[in-house]
Amino acid sequence: MSRAITYAASLDEVFQLTVDRATDLLAAERSLLMVANNDGLLVLRASHGIDTAVASDIQEPLSEALIPSLALRLGAPPESFLGVPLVVAGAITGILVVIRTAPSTEADHDEWVLSALADQAAAALEKTRLDEIGEFREQLIGVVGHDLRTPLNTILMGARLLLLREGLGETETEVARRITRSAMLATRLIDVLLDFTRSRLGGAYPSIPRAST
């Protein structure tokens, strides 16, 4: 399972591998994996043996009523359900469930197997979210760094114009020189940051729409 997840192309593929493997290992007829959406409701992300028309309509809060509600929706007795949570960063973000008509004689072992599969899916979910956060952070750094160049160039040009003026006192001249040096240093740092961000983002910056003024 770990090997399969390593080569999975997407998070949805990982989820589907998880439910398929859970069905096989635990001799289940049906299985499903649900993950909380932005509203805190569990929605179906992958399933095995469940009608797609029924599956697409499932949205449930994470509560003690979850299994009875699923049992009613799927037409199966609650005692045929075995479910374990998906835990990401210490918080429950989903659930992995198998449905079996035949009773199990190894309940502890079955729960351990299902938990191991849920942990693999949770790890993939956490990695995907961290990757998305990292990519957004790099995009934001790139956009902000790019926009900072204009005010820095204005500061640099203004300081250089001051240095060209006659009649500046010694103190004013030194201040203008310090402003020039600081602006040049900041510009070089931004150039390095933008080069790094550009290489990470494949040579382009995203465009962020701005409100007209």
Side-chain angles (χ1 to χ4, degrees):
M1 183 66 189
S2 297
R3 251 191 332 267
I5 286 177
T6 300
Y7 293 104
S10 68
L11 185 60
D12 286 335
E13 187 176 336
V14 171
F15 288 162
Q16 192 59 51
L17 284 168
T18 301
V19 295
D20 290 343
R21 196 68 176 138
T23 304
D24 292 340
L25 289 175
L26 299 177
E29 288 79 29
R30 290 176 284 178
S31 60
L32 62 156
L33 189 152
M34 304 178 73
V35 176
N37 62 13
N38 292 332
D39 296 324
L41 294 176
L42 294 174
V43 296
L44 196 71
R45 293 293 299 271
S47 65
H48 182 104
I50 296 176
D51 184 80
T52 54
V54 175
S56 62
D57 191 42
I58 297 178
Q59 289 194 20
E60 297 286 344
L62 181 60
S63 67
E64 294 180 357
L66 175 61
I67 295 301
S69 179
L70 289 175
L72 183 62
R73 282 176 174 270
L74 301 176
E79 58 269 20
S80 66
F81 282 70
L82 175 63
V84 296
L86 271 68
V87 180
V88 176
I92 297 176
T93 58
I95 187 170
L96 175 61
V97 178
V98 293
I99 306 170
R100 303 177 294 183
T101 55
S104 172
T105 58
E106 298 181 304
D108 290 342
H109 174 267
D110 292 350
E111 185 174 347
W112 180 87
V113 170
L114 197 62
S115 295
L117 292 171
D119 287 345
Q120 295 282 354
L125 178 59
E126 184 173 21
K127 180 181 182 302
T128 298
R129 290 183 176 177
L130 290 175
D131 288 346
E132 290 173 352
I133 291 172
E135 183 177 355
F136 174 76
R137 184 185 296 118
E138 289 177 358
Q139 290 176 347
L140 183 62
I141 290 173
V143 170
V144 172
H146 186 269
D147 288 352
L148 279 175
R149 295 175 98 173
T150 299
L152 276 175
N153 286 335
T154 301
I155 292 170
L156 184 59
M157 183 173 61
R160 285 173 172 169
L161 286 175
L162 285 175
L163 289 173
L164 293 175
R165 292 184 59 182
E166 296 181 359
L168 279 182
E170 184 177 342
T171 300
E172 290 81 0
T173 300
E174 180 59 26
V175 169
R177 285 173 178 166
R178 288 184 179 180
I179 292 173
T180 301
R181 289 195 297 268
S182 297
M184 291 177 64
L185 176 60
T187 301
R188 286 198 297 270
L189 290 174
I190 288 175
D191 287 341
V192 171
L193 180 63
L194 290 178
D195 287 342
F196 173 77
T197 306
R198 188 182 295 111
S199 67
R200 297 275 294 183
L201 297 177
Y205 299 122
S207 59
I208 295 181
R210 300 175 184 276
S212 57
T213 57

